[in-house]
C-alpha cells in the first residue's frame, strides 16, 4: 500500500505536488469514490481515475537526455504559448523535465515519465552535481576566486561551489567563459551567483548532470538513456 499522491506520481501521470493538487481539487476517484484528502493509501488492485481517465499504473518508462535550445521553457505546457521541452521529443507518454533550466539557458536536461526517479534526482539531499559553462561580462579577479572557494551567500543561504575553472578569457571584449559545478537546484542560481560577484551572465549552458554529459548532441537533439545509465541514476540515491 502506498499513498495515493505517490502512486499517481510514480505512474508518470504528473509530479507529486500536482497529484496532491488534483486530489485536493476532488479530481481523483478510487474505485468510484472521490478521494479529496491527502494520505489515503492504495494498492495496485485499486482503480484510480483522474478526471474520468483510468490511471495506467504500469506505463512504459521512458528516459531522454535533451540538449535544450534557448527560448524553450522547461515545462509541459505554457500559458503564453512558448515552446516547451516536451514538444521537442515525440512521445505519447506524459514526459516532464527533471528540474528546470531558464528560458534562455541551453544544455542538458533529462525528461522522463518515471516519477520515482525524478523525485530522487530533484531531492536536495542527493546533492546531484551539475556543471555549467557561463559566459560573463568581465574577468574574475583574485577576490572573486577567494569567494568562489569559500562559498557565496545568495539570498542569505550559502552556495557551495564544488568546482570552478576559467576556461577562456577575451580581454578585448572583456568577457570570460567560466565552468562551475554545483549541487544545488535553486532557481537562477548560477546567474545569481555571478550577479552577486558583480557580473552579468550573457550565455549559460549546462554541460553535465551527474555522470551524464552533452557529448555530441546538437542544440534541440536528444537521445534515450541506456538501461545502465538509468540504473546508475537510481544509484545516486
Ligand atoms: N542556474 C541558472 O541561473 N539558470 C539555469 O537555467 C540553471 C542554473
Amino acid at each position: 500500500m502506498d499513498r495515493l499522491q505517490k502512486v499517481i506520481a510514480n505512474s508518470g501521470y504528473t509530479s507529486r505536488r500536482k497529484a496532491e493538487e488534483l486530489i485536493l481539487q476532488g479530481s481523483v476517484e478510487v474505485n468510484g469514490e472521490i478521494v479529496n484528502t491527502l494520505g489515503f493509501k492504495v494498492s495496485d488492485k485499486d482503480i484510480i481515475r483522474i478526471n474520468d481517465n483510468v490511471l495506467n499504473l504500469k506505463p512504459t518508462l521512458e528516459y531522454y537526455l535533451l540538449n535544450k535550445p534557448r527560448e524553450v521553457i522547461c515545462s509541459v505546457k505554457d500559458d503564453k504559448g512558448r515552446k516547451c521541452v516536451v514538444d521537442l521529443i515525440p512521445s505519447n507518454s506524459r514526459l516532464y523535465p527533471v528540474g528546470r533550466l531558464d528560458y534562455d539557458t541551453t544544455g542538458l536536461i533529462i525528461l522522463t515519465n518515471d516519477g520515482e526517479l525524478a523525485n530522487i534526482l530533484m531531492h536536495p539531499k542527493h546533492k546531484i552535481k551539475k556543471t555549467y559553462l557561463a559566459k560573463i561580462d568581465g574577468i574574475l579577479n583574485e577576490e572573486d576566486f577567494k569567494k568562489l572557494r569559500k562559498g557565496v551567500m545568495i539570498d542569505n543561504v550559502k552556495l557551495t561551489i564544488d568546482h570552478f575553472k576559467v576556461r577562456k578569457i577575451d580581454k578585448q571584449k572583456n568577457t570570460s567563459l567560466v565552468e562551475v559545478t554545483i549541487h544545488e537546484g535553486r532557481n537562477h542560481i548560477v546567474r545569481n551567483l555571478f550577479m552577486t560577484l558583480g557580473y552579468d551572465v550573457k550565455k549559460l549552458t549546462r554541460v553535465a548532470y551527474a555522470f551524464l554529459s552533452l557529448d555530441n548532441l546538437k542544440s534541440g537533439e536528444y537521445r534515450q538513456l541506456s538501461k545502465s545509465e538509468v540504473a546508475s541514476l537510481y544509484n545516486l540515491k
Side-chain angles (χ1 to χ4, degrees):
M1 299 285 278
D2 256 320
R3 281 168 186 259
L4 182 54
Q5 60 267 35
K6 184 173 173 196
V7 171
I8 295 171
N10 287 355
S11 79
Y13 185 86
T14 188
S15 66
R16 201 178 296 192
R17 193 175 54 79
K18 283 267 160 57
E20 288 175 356
E21 281 172 20
L22 286 167
I23 294 169
L24 293 172
Q25 280 161 14
S27 305
V28 182
E29 275 178 25
V30 178
N31 305 324
E33 302 273 341
I34 289 179
V35 173
N36 57 7
T37 51
L38 301 177
F40 191 87
K41 291 202 167 170
V42 288
S43 77
D44 54 8
K45 296 203 179 60
D46 289 312
I47 304 210
I48 302 166
R49 268 177 213 269
I50 304 178
N51 292 325
D52 281 339
N53 298 311
V54 175
L55 190 71
N56 179 1
L57 291 182
K58 290 205 168 54
T60 314
L61 296 176
E62 296 178 24
Y63 307 88
Y64 299 91
L65 186 162
L66 168 73
N67 184 352
K68 176 192 157 322
R70 274 168 70 99
E71 300 187 356
V72 175
I73 185 161
C74 272
S75 180
V76 290
K77 66 174 191 305
D78 182 47
D79 302 341
K80 297 182 192 147
R82 291 172 296 184
K83 195 176 251 186
C84 299
V85 275
V86 291
D87 302 333
L88 301 177
I89 298 178
S91 164
N92 291 326
S93 301
R94 285 172 180 273
L95 298 178
Y96 47 86
V98 176
R100 267 164 200 270
L101 292 177
D102 298 335
Y103 187 60
D104 279 333
T105 300
T106 58
L108 197 163
I109 182 110
I110 295 171
L111 290 104
T112 184
N113 58 346
D114 181 347
E116 190 182 346
L117 182 65
N119 279 331
I120 291 172
L121 296 178
M122 287 193 284
H123 201 294
K125 79 174 174 199
H126 297 125
K127 299 190 171 164
I128 312 277
K129 287 191 181 166
K130 296 133 196 157
T131 301
Y132 298 87
L133 266 183
K135 184 177 176 189
I136 60 168
D137 69 342
I139 297 167
L140 297 177
N141 55 40
E142 254 328 301
E143 203 49 39
D144 299 322
F145 294 152
K146 264 193 216 148
K147 290 181 187 160
L148 286 165
R149 278 185 219 109
K150 220 172 115 211
V152 178
M153 293 302 285
I154 296 173
D155 296 331
N156 295 321
V157 180
K158 186 170 164 181
L159 172 69
T160 303
I161 289 96
D162 298 297
H163 177 78
F164 71 91
K165 192 174 176 109
V166 177
R167 287 269 167 215
K168 223 176 169 177
I169 290 177
D170 186 331
K171 282 197 176 143
Q172 269 176 350
K173 291 194 180 134
N174 192 38
T175 59
S176 33
L177 200 59
V178 186
E179 183 181 297
V180 276
T181 302
I182 54 172
H183 55 265
E184 264 209 36
R186 276 189 272 166
N187 280 346
H188 317 303
I189 191 75
V190 177
R191 291 176 201 274
N192 288 341
L193 164 66
F194 286 106
M195 209 203 291
T196 306
L197 297 177
Y199 305 92
D200 205 28
V201 172
K202 296 162 95 66
K203 272 189 188 166
L204 186 60
T205 303
R206 182 152 74 190
V207 292
Y209 185 100
F211 55 86
L212 296 167
S213 61
L214 274 179
D215 296 324
N216 297 322
L217 280 186
K218 298 200 180 76
S219 175
E221 287 185 345
Y222 64 88
R223 69 169 177 88
Q224 279 191 286
L225 295 181
S226 68
K227 283 210 168 90
S228 75
E229 286 172 331
V230 173
S232 303
L233 287 173
Y234 265 98
N235 280 339
L236 296 171
K237 193 171 169 176

